Amino acid sequence: MRHEMRAEYEEGSSGRVAGAPVKSWHMVREMGTAAMCGRELAPDAQTLPAEEWGGAGAPCCRACDAVYLRECDAVYLHEVP
């Protein structure tokens, strides 16, 4: 399964505004707007590749982190070397 990061903005900000301050980053399944923590995010919010998780400058959602890591671990456990 592919994932991407999606921004949650500070109150009153929008992804439509260039340089809008990011409150936190959430993990979504690719092209989705529902974060893994259950929060619904704006469809026009900035996205980043999943490989940027933890290094995007703004804090990452801890609940998304837990679900994302569990999901990734489950995928890796089922891969054949």
Side-chain angles (χ1 to χ4, degrees):
M1 176 161 297
R2 299 181 143 246
H3 299 86
E4 66 184 359
M5 296 168 56
R6 187 171 290 274
E8 174 188 358
Y9 295 98
E10 297 288 344
E11 192 70 35
S13 294
S14 167
R16 295 183 189 126
V17 177
V22 175
K23 180 178 179 181
S24 71
W25 288 97
H26 294 268
M27 191 60 74
V28 299
R29 289 176 182 89
E30 193 170 45
M31 305 298 291
T33 57
M36 298 183 104
C37 67
R39 182 178 298 273
E40 190 63 37
L41 302 168
D44 63 345
Q46 180 184 355
T47 60
L48 291 173
E51 295 77 27
E52 297 287 326
W53 190 249
C60 294
C61 171
R62 290 182 181 189
C64 283
D65 190 46
V67 176
Y68 175 61
L69 292 175
R70 272 194 304 254
E71 192 167 290
C72 287
D73 283 345
V75 170
Y76 295 130
L77 289 173
H78 290 75
E79 287 184 353
V80 177

